[in-house]
Amino acid sequence: ISRLELTPCSCACQRLAGSCDSGMLGYVKNLISLGTGCVAGATAATAYRCYERNEQLHAGSYVQKAGDYYQVLGHAWDFSRRDFCVVFRPLRHVDAKPDSHEAHVLATSDILQFGSSYEKVSYADLDTAAKASALPGPFWKDPEWALPAETSPVAHGDGTSSGLGSRSHQERPTKRSLS
């Protein structure tokens, strides 16, 4: 194209670049390709995160008691009981109930009492409101942790590594040879 022959495309090139350069169209194509790639990559990453979150929700631990659903967060050492307890959260709003409990978002229970009072259910068994309240886990992180996440009862006579409680993450207590 000579400088005297102006087409609509060449006029647009001149306005954008100051002069008509056939290389400008290549840059525009590259920018469009880059933008399209970014959108496709972001869509794929979002879809994978949704899949990952859904897997974590399904892998969670859920229980039911009297038609109410709860999410089990794990076992925790209770210093006042000097033993492990189960930590769980109601999958609904809980107000104070006279002679029963205060309003709360987290609760603990004795593991043996909890196991006999609550029925284990799957994520698919939860109602819509409970599913909306469920959180993806895990709820703690310790890269040095090498023991099971859940505790188990210690055999009578064995005791625990600390000498306290009736449950442990360890199958056998640690015997300390030096004090």
Side-chain angles (χ1 to χ4, degrees), residues 46-119:
T46 300
Y48 183 73
R49 285 295 295 143
C50 288
Y51 168 79
E52 213 174 36
R53 183 179 195 283
N54 193 38
E55 289 293 307
Q56 290 171 337
L57 286 170
H58 282 273
S61 179
Y62 306 97
V63 294
Q64 179 239 255
K65 179 180 180 182
D68 291 325
Y69 296 101
Y70 303 87
Q71 184 173 19
V72 178
L73 305 181
H75 294 180
W77 180 256
D78 185 338
F79 285 94
S80 63
R81 291 183 188 148
R82 298 175 70 123
D83 204 352
F84 282 96
C85 63
V86 64
V87 180
F88 60 104
R89 57 185 291 270
L91 295 177
R92 61 181 172 81
H93 176 76
V94 178
D95 284 321
K97 184 176 175 183
D99 299 322
S100 181
H101 55 75
E102 286 296 309
H104 61 277
V105 294
L106 292 175
T108 65
S109 178
D110 176 79
I111 293 176
L112 293 176
Q113 179 186 356
F114 185 82
S116 62
S117 301
Y118 293 80
E119 175 190 354

Side-chain angles (χ1 to χ4, degrees), residues 153-159 166:
V154 175
H156 293 290
D158 281 350
S166 62

